[in-house]
Structures are given as structure tokens and as C-alpha cells.
Amino acid sequence: MQVLKVFDSKNYSPGWPKTTREAVRAVIIRDGRLAMVRSQTDGFYKFPGGGIEQGEDHLIALTRETLEETGLRIKPDSVAEMGLTHEIRKLSLTEDGIFEQKSYYYTAEAEDTVAMQNLTEDEKRLGYELVWTDIETAYQANAELGKRYETAFILREASVLQILMGSSQNPPPASP
């Protein structure tokens, strides 16, 4: 899969123990609007998705995570690879270790009906809601929050939104 961006904070020692995580993220665009998860409390936007659980393949994880966070059901035959981001940073402020995450982004279509969300307690606390927004609005919100907080996932999502903005402004040439 094509690497979209690498975020390496270089704030760790190469000899530290490593924790790895793989995640999937859905890029769903309908009628020029992007399906995003918006935090009502913090104002950030994120692509629907999350960690791949043991025994899951990417499609199963993408379908499960998107349904849980948004209530949208992915159409499996519509899923296509977009690219991945790779994050490498210190595990936490208080713990020496390397955290390495690969997030795999897939374009997909979703069914029209929306089911109930099935949020974790943390997601409920953050006020996760499904919104259909234009790419620029989500990008501007995350870019501004990213400047203030330098939160890794907000910067990651802003970078993917920026890629999408570029591709929407430079559509491929029409077929002959």
C-alpha cells in the first residue's frame, strides 16, 4: 500500500521496547461531502475507524469500526486502498518506549441507512457524532487544533484531509 505520510517524532531511543498498533480508517465521500466522526467536546474531526483486533482482516475491522463509530454500514465491494500513514514516537510522557502505528486508509461507499452508534465510554465522553462535511471544513478545524495541541492523531488526520483536498482540486483527466 502506498505510504501517504510518515510521522517520526524522533523523541525516543532506538533501543527502547516497541509497542505496535495497526488501524484502519474509512474515507467515505457522498455528494461531495465526507463522512467524519466529530468530537462535540473537543471539535476535532477523525475518519471512522480504529484498531484491528486479533483475528480480524482489514475489511472486517473497517466494517466493524465504521459501524460502531458512525452507524454507517460499509459496502464491502466498494472498498479500495487509498494509502497508509506511519507514526513513530515515544510511548508516553512518563514511560520510555516506542509507539509505532500504521493506519491503513480505504475509500468506501456506505449504505444509505444509519444504525445506532456503539461507542466506548471514552468516545461517548468526547461526544462522537457522525457528520457529513466538506473536506476543507474538517481540515481547517484539525489544522488549527493541531497547531495548538500538536496531538498526533489530529495532525495525522489533517495530513490525509490535505491530500484529499489536493486530489479534489486536481481531478484526473477525463477518459477519451
Side-chain angles (χ1 to χ4, degrees), residues 60-72:
I60 290 171
L62 186 72
T63 302
R64 176 186 53 78
E65 283 285 348
T66 302
L67 182 60
E68 288 174 359
E69 289 186 353
T70 66
L72 293 173

Side-chain angles (χ1 to χ4, degrees), residues 62-127:
L62 186 72
T63 302
R64 176 186 53 78
E65 283 285 348
T66 302
L67 182 60
E68 288 174 359
E69 289 186 353
T70 66
L72 293 173
R73 286 187 172 82
I74 295 284
K75 296 178 181 179
D77 293 343
S78 72
V79 175
E81 291 182 359
M82 178 182 162
L84 72 91
T85 60
H86 187 184
E87 301 168 66
I88 311 158
R89 63 180 176 273
K90 185 176 179 182
L91 190 58
S92 72
L93 293 174
T94 59
E95 190 176 354
D96 288 346
I98 301 169
F99 178 73
E100 186 171 357
Q101 175 169 284
K102 290 184 179 174
S103 292
Y104 299 88
Y105 288 80
Y106 292 90
T107 60
E109 294 177 13
E111 296 176 5
D112 291 335
T113 58
V114 180
M116 292 274 300
Q117 292 173 296
N118 183 17
L119 301 175
T120 66
E121 288 305 313
D122 196 41
E123 292 166 342
K124 288 176 187 174
R125 183 184 58 73
L126 289 167

